[in-house]
Amino acid sequence: MVKYFFILFPFFLLGQNVDMYLSLLHEGKTDGVREQLPELVSKYPNDPGVLFLQALLMMDGMKSLELYNKILEKFPESKYAPDAALKIGEYFYARGLYSQAGRQLSKLPRIYPRYLDKQRVIDLMVSSFKAIGEEDSVRYYVGVYKSMFPELDVEVYGVKTKAKGTQALKLKPKLYEPKPYIVQIGAFGNKKNAKRLQLQISQVGYEVIIAPVEAGGRKLHAVRVVRFKSKREAEQVGKDIKRKLGTDFRVLYRPKSQNK
């Protein structure tokens, strides 16, 4: 037991140090934290707290985004994961990618229901959807999350919600209509190649998944941007990705019920 304690003790101290450095950043004392960061990265290159500090201090927004995504992918249960998810939403919003920001932020309270700064998440989510005229999405998500978290202040949004969660979910039934179209960017035998392309596409602001598929008896990893109500909408996204990354694409009709 004593040996086990001493193994854990350095990691306990690291957690304390990361929290201390975060407090210093909030106080505007960036230079001191920046001086200590190289040593932390050298000793704990794969610690989620250190990765989060790195991302906060990065001057390159795309590299910060990569680190935030790494935290969510490899350390989804970390206490820094909800803040990393919020930072991704803030990044999209700051770049004017309001649709991507809204989608990113709308998932956060459901995935991390114990996150303390839910009000900030909902405020930014509403601003994102309103910026592109998605009032239906505002009404839907505000209704859902107000029913889940009654302490949220939603009066400023001008949205009427019902008292009971089961009723609030019925605000806009048409939002339950499936989005059957996807944009498939490529399919790889090597999953690492698929994950590399997934990261590149996510960095330009789109929600990407890797789906297992079979072709000619081979098991492949398909990189797909999801999901769209119309073929036209999907094609526009595919063209945007091709313009930015130079990758070809295919629009496929793949309702969730088909599961393929």
Side-chain angles (χ1 to χ4, degrees), residues 48-107:
V50 175
L51 290 171
F52 189 67
L53 278 175
Q54 264 188 289
L56 289 175
L57 290 169
M58 281 280 183
M59 302 301 292
D60 187 327
M62 293 290 282
K63 290 183 179 179
S64 292
L65 188 67
E66 185 175 338
L67 290 174
Y68 293 136
N69 276 310
K70 183 176 181 179
I71 292 170
L72 294 181
E73 181 182 343
K74 296 193 173 183
F75 309 100
E77 303 301 320
S78 162
K79 69 177 183 178
Y80 305 103
D83 284 310
L86 175 57
K87 288 294 182 182
I88 293 172
E90 290 176 339
Y91 174 83
F92 288 151
Y93 186 86
R95 289 191 59 188
L97 301 169
Y98 301 120
S99 179
Q100 293 89 329
R103 290 202 299 268
Q104 169 73 14
L105 295 163
S106 67
K107 298 182 293 185

Side-chain angles (χ1 to χ4, degrees), residues 10 13-14 17-18 20-21 31-47 49-51 53-54 57:
L13 290 179
L14 173 64
N17 285 339
V18 169
M20 178 189 72
Y21 292 140
D31 292 342
V33 180
R34 198 180 296 278
E35 289 177 5
Q36 298 298 318
L37 187 60
E39 182 179 355
L40 284 174
V41 173
S42 175
K43 289 182 177 179
Y44 312 102
N46 293 308
D47 180 86
V50 175
L51 290 171
L53 278 175
Q54 264 188 289
L57 290 169

Side-chain angles (χ1 to χ4, degrees), residues 132-145:
I132 52 177
E134 290 195 16
E135 297 291 339
D136 284 351
S137 295
V138 173
R139 282 190 287 271
Y140 173 71
Y141 285 112
V142 168
V144 169
Y145 288 132

Side-chain angles (χ1 to χ4, degrees), residues 43 62 70 75 96 98 114 123 150 165 176 213 220-221 248:
K43 289 182 177 179
M62 293 290 282
K70 183 176 181 179
F75 309 100
Y98 301 120
R114 295 185 180 180
D123 288 346
Y176 288 98
V213 298
L220 301 175
H221 306 281
D248 290 324

Side-chain angles (χ1 to χ4, degrees), residues 167-224:
Q167 293 178 325
L169 291 171
K170 298 179 182 178
L171 284 173
K172 279 288 175 178
K174 70 177 184 179
L175 290 174
Y176 288 98
E177 294 175 3
K179 295 181 178 181
Y181 292 96
I182 63 168
V183 180
Q184 184 161 305
I185 307 300
F188 302 87
N190 188 327
K191 193 172 183 179
K192 287 184 178 179
N193 293 335
K195 291 174 76 68
R196 187 178 300 114
L197 182 57
Q198 180 189 33
L199 178 60
Q200 290 175 340
I201 297 170
S202 69
Q203 287 176 339
V204 297
Y206 292 104
E207 182 179 355
V208 197
I209 64 169
I210 296 177
V213 298
E214 286 192 14
R218 294 180 61 206
K219 291 184 178 180
L220 301 175
H221 306 281
V223 180
R224 294 173 170 177

